[in-house]
Amino acid sequence: MEFGSPCTTCPVPAPAKAQCPYCGVGCGLELKPPAANTTTNSNNQPDSPAASAAIWSVRGDRQHPSSLGQVCVKGATVAETLDRNRLSTPLWREQRDQPFEAISWERAFTILVERIQAIQAERGSSAIAMYGSGQFLTEDYYVANKLIKGALGTNNFDANSRLCMSSAVSGYKLSLGSDGPPCCYDDLDLAETVVLIGTNTAECHPVLFQRLLKRKRRQKEALQLVVIDPRATATSDVADLHLAIRPGTDLALLHGVGHLLLERGAVDPERVAATADGFAELAALWAGWTPEKVCALCGIEEKALRHLAALWAASSGVLSLWSMGVNQSVEGTATVAGIINLHLVSGQIGRPGAGPFSLTGQPNAMGGREAGGLAALLPGYRSIHEASHRAAIEQHWGFPAGAISERDGLSVWEQIEAMERGELDLWWVAATNPLVSLPWLDRVRQAVARCPLVVLSEAYAGTETEAVAHLVLPAAQWSEKEGVMTNSERRVTLSQAFRKPPGEARPDWSIFAELGRRLGFGQQFAYGSSAEVYAEFAAITAGRVCDHSGLSHGLLAEHGPQQWPFPAGTAPGGGQARLHTQGVYPTANGKARLVAQQPLGLGEPPDDSFPLVLTVGRYLGHWHTMTRTAHVERVCRSHPEPLLEIHPADAERCNLDDGGLARVSSRRGGLTVKVQISDRIRPGTVFLPMHWGAAQEQACEANRLMHALGCPISKQPELKAAAVQVERAERAD
C-alpha cells in the first residue's frame, strides 16, 4: 500500500507503519504522509532534497509491542535519508576506468542473462556468487535464495549477517539444537541480573538500553547490571559491576564463573543431566579455570569475578545480552556456547527474566536466517547438508530433485578468496557495502579487481562498493516496498510501502524474480506481489522452530507485529514469547549440549612490533557505512569525525597529544586519525569507529587494519581485535 497522494475523502490519512531499517531492536515507526502545502513532483518526491525532512515526519509507534513508541536518533531522523543521494536508473560500464552510462532495465537484464548463461556453460554456476544483506526484507532474502540456490544450483549466497550474527547462529545450534533467541524484550523488565557482554548497548541498541535504564532508575535494588567490556562506555556508566577484561578473554571469564558456581554448590548435576548432555566434561574443564588463573589472564581483580559469580548464583533470573564483541571472534561460537553453558547449568533459560539473548545487528538479520540467508542454510532453519532438507525445499520451490547442490557454498570471505584465485566470474552485491565493512580492505579491493563482472543492487549512489562495480541496479528500499522483517525477539513486523521509489528503482525481490523468469523459470518466479512471496515462504516453515505458517501480510496489517513460532491456526497475539520453556530442545534426544572448549585467545595477539590491540565499533548516531546517516545534519554534528581512543599511558609512550594526529598501522595497512586521550579504555587497547570509508570526507578505513581470521565454525571474521602500532603523525594522509 502506498501513501502520499492527496485524498479527497480523508484529508488526514492514517500514518504508515513500518519497522525501523537500522538495528535489530526492530522499533516500530509511524510515518505521516506529506503535508498538504508541500509541493512534490510527479514521482511523489519533494521538489528539492532540502525539503524532504519536512515532508515525511517520523514518530515511534506506541502500539508496537517491541518498542512501545520509543525511537533513537537514527530512527527519528530516517525520513531525512529517503531522497538523499538516491540511485534512480541502471548504470553500466564495461571497464572500471570508464564512466557509468545510464541504461534501461531491458539492457540490464540482457547483460545479466547473457553473462550468467555464458558462465554456466563455460565454468558452471559455482563461478557465480551473491552477497546479500540484513537490510533485505524477508521476501527479498527468500527470492534471492530461490534464484541462487534453486534456479542456478549454487549455494554461493551469503549475507552480511556473516559479519554480525553467524557466531550466534552457530552457538545456538551447537548448544540448543537450533538457531533462534529463546528470550523476549519483556525479560528486560523481569530479570534480576542482566549481564551485558561484548555489547555497547547504549550506542548500538539504544532503545533496549533506555528500557533497562528506566527500570534501573525506578527499581534500583531490583536490577543488577553487569557490563563486560574493555572500554568504559555509556553502557558501563550505569553498571553495578564493570569488568574491563582484556580483549579476547571472554571465554576464559565465563569458564571462571562456571568454576565458582561449582565451588559455591550452585549447580545440581542431576537436574542438569535431565536436560543437557556433557556436564562431566564441562565440569572437568571448569575445574582448571581457577579465579587466580582467570583474573591474571583477563586483567581484572578476583573480587570482581567472585562478585559476578555470586550475582549469577543468587539471582532468580539472569539475562545475558551480547552482540559483536562476542560474535566477531576466532572463538565466537565457543564463547556463545560458553554463555549458554552457564544458563543451562543454572537453569536460567526458558522462563521469564532469564536466558541467553543475542542482540541482532541488522534490522532483518533474523528474517534472513529464517529464509536461508547464509551459505549453509535453507529456508525454515534447514541445512544444505541434510538431503531431506534439500528435497523438501526443491519440492516446495518446484525444482527437480538434485537442483539444490549438496556442496558447501562460499561464505563472504571465501568469496573474496575465490576471486583472488580467479574462480568467480560474477559477484553480485545487494543492499550492503562490503568495501567498508569487510576486513583487510586492500586485499578485498585487489581480489574484486580480478572479477570480470561485479553487480551492485543499491539504493544510494556513490558508495565504496559502487567504485568497483560494472553494473549498478537501483533498488527500492524499505519505505518503497512492502514486506516483513523479524527483530531480535523473533517479532515479525509488516513494513508498509508509503512512497514511490525514485525513478526506475525496483524492489530487490522483483529484480530477482524477473531475472529468474528470463532464465527460463517462469513458473517458479511468477509472483504478483510481495504478499505472495511471503505466503510461499511462510508455508515452508510449518512445523519448524521458526514457524511462520499462521502469518500473512493480511494478518500482520490487521493485527500488528507477531512473535514466532506462530503455527497455522494461532490466534493473533498467540505467538510464543519464549522458547524451550519445558526444558526440551530440538535435538535427537531432546537435550541441550554443554560445550567444553579451551579458550584460544585472540587470532592476532599483540607483540613487540605491534604492541596494542585495536578494537572497532560504532557511534550512536551513525549506522555502519554511513550510506544513510552521512546525509543527516543532526547526526553529523554529533559525530563529525572519527577519533582514536587511547589510554593516557599508551599516549605518553607513543608521544601523542590529545587532538593531535596518530598513525595507526597493522600488518595490512595504516591510516592517520585524530587522537582522543581517555582513561575510559584499558591500557594496551585502542578504539576506532568503523563508519568512515574511503568515500567519506573524513575517511578512516578502520577495517583496512583488521585481519581475516575467523571462527572455524561460524566463519565470522574477528573484526573486534587486531594487533597495531601507534605513532605520532604530523599531518594527515
Side-chain angles (χ1 to χ4, degrees):
M1 78 187 54
E2 295 178 347
F3 287 77
S5 300
C7 174
T8 57
T9 60
C10 181
V12 185
K17 290 179 179 286
Q19 179 179 309
C20 178
Y22 287 114
C23 79
V25 173
C27 298
L29 300 180
E30 290 187 338
L31 299 108
K32 298 183 72 173
N37 61 355
T38 302
T39 60
T40 61
N41 58 32
S42 60
N43 238 356
N44 192 34
Q45 308 298 311
D47 283 339
S48 68
S52 66
I55 292 174
W56 295 98
S57 63
V58 182
R59 67 187 181 198
D61 180 1
R62 295 182 180 180
Q63 303 304 312
H64 197 288
S66 291
S67 52
L68 304 173
Q70 299 300 302
V71 66
C72 76
V73 63
K74 292 189 291 293
T77 58
V78 71
E80 299 179 39
T81 71
L82 297 178
D83 295 296
R84 308 286 174 88
N85 205 39
R86 294 294 303 278
L87 289 163
S88 59
T89 188
L91 304 173
W92 167 249
R93 58 185 177 185
E94 288 280 356
Q95 304 295 331
R96 292 185 179 90
D97 59 358
Q98 298 173 341
F100 282 110
E101 62 170 311
I103 61 173
S104 66
W105 273 107
E106 183 64 30
R107 187 176 175 200
F109 282 120
T110 298
I111 292 169
L112 284 169
V113 170
E114 290 179 350
R115 295 292 284 270
I116 288 171
Q117 290 176 338
I119 292 168
Q120 288 179 309
E122 295 170 13
R123 305 191 65 177
S125 291
S126 61
I128 299 168
M130 179 177 282
Y131 182 51
S133 170
Q135 292 288 319
F136 276 169
L137 301 181
T138 298
E139 294 81 355
D140 301 321
Y141 259 122
Y142 180 74
V143 181
N145 270 275
K146 188 174 183 179
L147 174 68
I148 301 297
K149 294 175 182 173
L152 299 186
T154 175
N155 292 317
N156 294 343
F157 179 95
D158 212 42
N160 57 17
S161 295
R162 179 71 62 188
L163 306 183
C164 105
M165 301 314 300
S166 56
S167 290
V169 174
S170 297
Y172 278 138
K173 290 171 65 177
L174 184 62
S175 296
L176 305 179
S178 174
D179 188 12
C183 310
C184 64
Y185 294 163
D186 284 350
D187 291 323
L188 298 170
D189 304 325
L190 302 171
E192 191 170 306
T193 296
V194 174
V195 179
L196 301 158
I197 176 170
T199 168
N200 181 9
T201 319
E203 298 202 60
C204 299
H205 297 90
V207 168
L208 292 188
F209 178 76
Q210 288 300 316
R211 186 165 177 170
L212 280 173
L213 185 59
K214 289 177 182 178
R215 183 182 169 212
K216 185 66 178 172
R217 290 170 175 166
R218 188 175 63 249
Q219 302 174 313
K220 183 174 178 59
E221 302 304 322
L223 173 63
Q224 294 291 298
L225 287 178
V226 179
V227 172
I228 302 167
D229 191 328
R231 299 171 64 218
T233 64
T235 306
S236 67
D237 286 345
V238 300
D240 299 282
L241 176 64
H242 176 207
L243 291 83
I245 63 173
R246 290 191 180 97
T249 62
D250 305 74
L251 184 55
L253 178 78
L254 297 168
H255 288 347
V257 174
H259 178 101
L260 290 173
L261 291 180
L262 294 177
E263 182 181 275
R264 297 174 65 92
V267 178
D268 179 352
E270 291 186 5
R271 184 194 56 76
V272 174
T275 58
D277 290 329
F279 178 70
E281 294 84 354
L282 181 62
L285 174 66
W286 281 352
W289 286 93
T290 63
E292 297 79 13
K293 179 179 178 180
V294 169
C295 293
L297 183 64
C298 295
I300 59 173
E301 295 184 0
E302 186 173 324
K303 66 178 181 180
L305 177 65
R306 290 188 177 276
H307 187 184
L308 172 56
L311 285 173
W312 198 293
S315 294
S316 61
V318 179
L319 186 68
S320 297
L321 306 175
W322 78 89
S323 194
M324 303 309 127
V326 165
N327 294 327
Q328 290 177 335
S329 165
V330 293
E331 54 185 14
T333 300
T335 305
V336 171
I339 295 169
I340 298 172
N341 284 342
L342 293 177
H343 283 275
L344 289 170
V345 301
S346 58
Q348 299 282 1
I349 187 171
R351 55 189 181 82
F357 199 174
S358 160
L359 295 181
T360 312
Q362 289 273 356
N364 196 33
M366 279 294 300
R369 287 142 66 174
E370 295 151 18
L374 289 172
L377 300 182
L378 291 171
Y381 284 174
R382 291 176 173 87
S383 170
I384 64 165
H385 299 118
E386 296 286 339
S388 62
H389 290 185
R390 296 194 304 273
I393 298 299
E394 287 164 349
Q395 182 178 11
H396 193 71
W397 281 349
F399 291 114
I404 299 174
S405 174
E406 61 183 16
R407 293 177 54 187
D408 284 341
L410 299 176
S411 68
V412 63
W413 190 256
E414 290 168 337
Q415 293 176 10
I416 299 300
E417 292 174 325
M419 281 186 272
E420 284 182 321
R421 297 189 298 267
E423 295 174 359
L424 277 190
D425 285 355
L426 191 163
W427 192 44
W428 191 336
V429 177
T432 187
N433 193 12
L435 270 293
V436 178
S437 56
L438 286 177
W440 205 340
L441 287 173
D442 291 348
R443 182 177 172 186
V444 171
R445 288 191 186 96
Q446 292 171 3
V448 175
R450 299 199 63 191
C451 186
L453 179 59
V454 175
V455 180
L456 174 64
S457 297
E458 177 59 78
Y460 292 90
T463 68
E464 290 80 357
T465 304
E466 182 185 297
V468 302
H470 301 93
L471 177 63
V472 179
L473 306 177
Q477 61 171 332
W478 65 282
S479 58
E480 300 142 6
K481 58 185 178 182
E482 184 164 276
V484 307
M485 292 191 272
T486 308
N487 70 7
S488 292
E489 66 165 347
R490 296 173 284 102
R491 194 175 297 278
V492 183
T493 297
L494 177 67
S495 291
Q496 297 175 331
F498 55 89
R499 63 197 301 274
K500 294 180 180 178
E504 299 177 51
R506 298 185 180 186
D508 292 284
W509 70 264
S510 70
I511 296 171
F512 303 143
E514 176 67 16
L515 179 58
R517 291 191 292 270
R518 289 176 179 243
L519 287 169
F521 301 98
Q523 183 177 352
Q524 289 89 343
F525 293 95
Y527 302 114
S529 68
S530 60
E532 292 180 17
V533 176
Y534 183 67
E536 181 179 304
F537 160 71
I540 196 59
T541 67
R544 306 295 297 172
V545 171
C546 58
D547 196 331
H548 286 236
S549 61
L551 295 174
S552 66
H553 278 202
L555 184 146
L556 293 167
E558 182 177 358
H559 298 286
Q562 307 289 321
Q563 277 180 293
W564 63 252
F566 197 98
T570 303
Q576 193 170 323
R578 298 172 186 87
L579 304 180
H580 319 310
T581 57
Q582 303 302 313
V584 178
Y585 299 89
T587 60
N589 65 358
K591 292 185 179 183
R593 183 184 301 109
L594 297 166
V595 178
Q597 183 164 320
Q598 290 286 3
L600 301 173
L602 294 176
E604 186 182 68
D607 57 21
D608 291 342
S609 298
F610 298 92
L612 300 173
V613 176
L614 169 65
T615 187
V616 173
R618 297 172 178 80
Y619 288 161
L620 171 64
H622 281 306
W623 175 247
H624 289 190
T625 68
M626 295 170 60
T627 52
R628 283 193 182 103
T629 56
H631 306 287
V632 180
E633 183 179 352
R634 175 180 168 187
V635 166
C636 291
R637 284 199 307 267
S638 299
H639 308 284
E641 60 186 343
L643 298 170
L644 176 74
E645 189 174 330
I646 186 169
H647 190 272
D650 294 322
E652 183 176 0
R653 280 192 293 272
C654 298
N655 190 29
L656 302 181
D657 298 323
D658 192 53
L661 295 177
R663 181 70 179 174
V664 186
S665 303
S666 75
R667 291 176 174 86
R668 292 152 295 279
L671 55 84
T672 301
V673 63
K674 185 183 287 189
V675 173
Q676 180 182 51
I677 298 175
S678 171
D679 61 3
R680 291 171 63 78
I681 191 166
R682 66 169 295 131
T685 304
V686 295
F687 172 85
L688 280 175
M690 58 84 68
H691 309 291
W692 279 267
Q696 302 300 329
E697 184 177 349
Q698 303 270 5
C700 178
E701 294 182 284
N703 281 354
R704 285 186 65 211
L705 310 180
M706 310 310 287
H707 62 79
L709 298 172
C711 172
I713 300 174
S714 71
K715 300 182 181 179
Q716 180 160 354
E718 188 170 76
L719 282 164
K720 280 297 181 184
V724 298
Q725 59 177 242
V726 178
E727 303 170 297
R728 185 184 184 94
E730 298 303 329
R731 55 195 175 96
D733 294 333

